[in-house]
Amino acid sequence: GEDVEQSLFLSVREGDSSVINCTYTDSSSTYLYWYKQEPGAGLQLLTYIFSNMDMKQDQRLTVLLNKKDKHLSLRIADTQTGDSAIYFCAETLYNNNDMRFGAGTRLTVKP
Amino acid sequence: SQTIHQWPATLVQPVGSPLSLECTVEGTSNPNLYWYRQAAGRGLQLLFYSVGIGQISSEVPQNLSASRPQDRQFILSSKKLLLSDSGFYLCAWNVDRINEKLFFGSGTQLSVL
């Protein structure tokens, strides 16, 4: 199975908060990332968190990291239709050259 | 500022035909370059990475190859495409191999028929 796991779909109403969850299995993860992919486009880095932090906030985005449970979440406040996209969780490991991605969560925002 | 260009955006090729996808980075020197493949409903799979001219590392055995003829140019190739090569191909770069965020190109949607 995937080393980084995400649910595949999330649907919310415009104006509500969205919470996208991710679990990872390797405790040596150092950085954890959230990328956004709009249809037919490449991945855009949204935010990232270092593993010794438990929260990071950037405007409407809040990242929460529970290192004990190896759980990462991305909360989008006041979700807009333009937030509809696929969101990828990714990790890099200590002294490892690769970035590992989850399968992506497709967020659909309904008006 | 740094930019990454990837082309073509879409490509439809018959089985058995050759492939060449190109990626170039501007505004930086000696970047690390990557090719990823994204299959429908799945995460990104790292195919190749390169830390310098002529240096290619392959992550998975496959029908594809990569080359880096110039510092900021990364090419993904195949001599004979298979149906299973269909997917969305993404080029990416960063400066530090370890623990640094990746910057992605806009992707190439390859359909092998």
Side-chain angles (χ1 to χ4, degrees):
Chain A
E2 298 283 348
D3 293 321
V4 179
E5 296 187 351
Q6 305 175 237
S7 54
L8 293 182
F9 302 99
L10 176 65
S11 179
V12 301
R13 291 213 172 273
E14 190 174 15
D16 288 350
S17 292
S18 307
V19 180
I20 303 171
N21 294 302
C22 170
T23 57
Y24 58 98
T25 58
D26 200 313
S27 59
S28 65
S29 294
T30 51
Y31 283 94
L32 295 125
Y33 306 81
W34 284 105
Y35 283 86
K36 176 183 180 182
Q37 183 184 34
E38 297 186 10
L43 275 67
Q44 172 195 1
L45 178 67
L46 283 179
T47 187
Y48 62 98
I49 189 169
F50 188 51
S51 59
N52 68 351
M53 299 169 61
D54 52 20
M55 189 183 88
K56 181 178 180 180
Q57 187 154 3
D58 183 2
Q59 299 182 348
R60 292 192 297 122
L61 305 178
T62 303
V63 179
L64 295 178
L65 175 61
N66 181 328
K67 198 168 182 180
K68 174 177 171 288
D69 294 337
K70 300 187 183 69
H71 183 263
L72 181 75
S73 67
L74 174 69
R75 178 176 181 270
I76 306 173
D78 187 24
T79 312
Q80 303 298 305
T81 54
D83 294 323
S84 292
I86 300 176
Y87 291 81
F88 289 91
C89 172
E91 63 173 351
T92 51
L93 308 180
Y94 174 74
N95 206 29
N96 184 297
N97 293 336
D98 296 333
M99 180 176 290
R100 295 196 289 201
F101 288 83
T105 299
R106 182 179 295 275
L107 173 65
T108 302
V109 182
K110 298 179 180 178
Chain B
S1 64
Q2 301 91 352
T3 56
I4 179 169
H5 302 282
Q6 189 180 338
W7 68 93
T10 58
L11 191 59
V12 180
Q13 292 283 99
V15 169
S17 65
L19 173 73
S20 180
L21 302 181
E22 190 161 343
C23 171
T24 59
V25 179
E26 296 177 359
T28 187
S29 296
N30 197 31
N32 302 301
L33 297 170
Y34 306 79
W35 279 111
Y36 282 86
R37 176 169 55 204
Q38 180 184 14
R42 301 182 62 183
L44 275 69
Q45 179 186 34
L46 178 63
L47 301 176
F48 300 96
Y49 70 87
S50 171
V51 300
I53 296 175
Q55 300 179 63
I56 308 294
S57 296
S58 175
E59 290 296 299
V60 293
Q62 59 198 302
N63 183 43
L64 302 169
S65 62
S67 61
R68 185 167 178 175
Q70 300 181 43
D71 180 44
R72 289 169 287 180
Q73 183 185 30
F74 205 24
I75 297 172
L76 184 68
S77 304
S78 174
K79 292 182 179 177
K80 289 185 178 181
L81 283 168
L82 305 172
L83 288 174
S84 57
D85 292 325
S86 294
F88 192 58
Y89 289 83
L90 289 156
C91 181
W93 73 276
N94 62 10
V95 174
D96 186 1
R97 271 288 283 162
I98 297 178
N99 296 327
E100 185 167 316
K101 49 192 175 290
L102 288 168
F103 300 95
F104 285 85
S106 54
T108 296
Q109 182 64 53
L110 172 65
S111 300
V112 182
L113 305 176

